Amino acid sequence: MIKLITLYDNIIGKLSLLDGLPALLFRLILAPVMIIAGYNKLAISGDTNGFFNQFLASDDIVQWFGNSDWGLGLPFPDLLAFLAGWSEFLGGWFLLIGLFTRLVSIPLMFTMVVAATTVHWHNGWFAIAPTNPQTSAAQVLDWLSVPGAKESLENSKEVQVRIGKIRSLVEEYGFEDYLYEKGKPSILNNGIEFSAIYFAMLLSLFFTGGGRFVSLDYWFKRGAYINSY
């Protein structure tokens, strides 16, 4: 038994050389998402007048941040849209190269919390509504008697009916091959799923950093350590 434990420890010890790979994968997944999200919030993504105006948030994003009727209804929409846009845009590039990983994870986690609580919260968990209650993750929550799980399963049945009607209309009126060429139709639930997953990934990066061997953070820290001797 002791030999098995020793063998296990030796194997895990050797694998630790690759412990930067999960952080690298997280960064490569998150970076494009954050970069394009920030880019589309900023005026540089469209036509604008004046050099300095390019660095501000887009007018439509500012209106969406501030309007309480059809938008988020947030205070100081100009400032918040500006901060959100640049945090995501610059933060995404920093994540891509693994520079200041822990630092940039903080504002990005904050934007995920704001997105989840102001945009997606009232839609529940799922980003895409499940169409089969038997394979829905809510099935497990229902076994545990978690509130809302049964309602989610009932909603899946309703979604299944509506998807069925969409497909029957497509089959009846033609262009089935063309319409399905890029994928089958689904119903957007727009829940907090993606925001929560991205938050968890950013939280992991906050604690682990950009990853050993695979981030600029590691090499700068290593260089500073060597130069100190």
Side-chain angles (χ1 to χ4, degrees):
M1 185 65 179
I2 295 177
K3 290 183 178 180
L4 287 175
I5 294 175
T6 303
L7 178 61
Y8 173 80
D9 289 340
N10 289 336
I11 294 174
I12 295 300
K14 293 178 180 178
L15 288 177
S16 65
L17 291 173
L18 303 175
D19 60 10
L21 289 181
L24 174 62
L25 293 176
F26 280 4
R27 285 169 33 222
L28 293 179
I29 292 170
L30 286 165
V33 175
M34 298 301 165
I35 290 170
I36 198 62
Y39 177 77
N40 286 320
K41 288 183 176 69
L42 300 172
I44 56 175
S45 62
D47 297 327
T48 185
N49 296 320
F51 175 76
F52 291 104
N53 288 336
Q54 296 182 76
F55 298 96
L56 301 177
S58 298
D59 291 337
D60 56 338
I61 297 298
V62 173
Q63 294 173 13
W64 180 56
F65 268 52
N67 193 289
S68 57
D69 293 327
W70 49 266
L72 303 181
L74 297 174
F76 312 111
D78 296 84
L79 176 62
L80 292 180
F82 173 84
L83 292 175
W86 281 108
S87 293
E88 292 174 340
F89 185 64
L90 290 180
W93 287 110
F94 282 134
L95 286 180
L96 187 64
I97 61 177
L99 182 63
F100 306 130
T101 305
R102 286 187 169 93
L103 182 63
V104 300
S105 294
I106 297 172
L108 292 178
M109 283 191 288
F110 181 76
T111 61
M112 292 301 100
V113 171
V114 172
T117 55
T118 60
V119 180
H120 307 289
W121 188 265
H122 64 282
N123 295 321
W125 170 260
F126 293 107
I128 304 297
T131 59
N132 186 351
Q134 298 302 318
T135 58
S136 171
Q139 186 77 257
V140 178
L141 301 181
D142 187 47
W143 295 342
L144 300 173
S145 299
V146 174
K150 192 173 293 296
E151 289 78 2
S152 179
L153 295 175
E154 290 299 323
N155 184 66
S156 295
K157 296 177 183 178
E158 295 295 328
V159 170
Q160 189 177 52
V161 171
R162 285 159 175 75
I163 288 293
K165 289 183 177 180
I166 292 173
R167 290 177 177 175
S168 65
L169 288 172
V170 171
E171 292 172 1
E172 180 178 355
Y173 293 101
F175 301 104
E176 183 176 356
D177 292 338
Y178 169 75
L179 293 173
Y180 289 167
E181 183 181 5
K182 303 301 181 180
K184 296 294 180 69
S186 61
I187 292 180
L188 179 67
N189 194 59
N190 206 26
I192 69 170
E193 184 175 10
F194 289 156
S195 296
I197 291 173
Y198 294 154
F199 177 87
M201 295 168 71
L202 289 164
L203 184 63
S204 176
L205 290 175
F206 174 75
F207 283 108
T208 65
R212 181 161 48 165
F213 303 130
V214 294
S215 67
L216 288 181
D217 287 334
Y218 170 81
W219 291 108
F220 285 156
K221 184 178 180 179
R222 182 181 175 89
Y225 178 81
I226 294 174
N227 291 333
S228 66
Y229 283 93

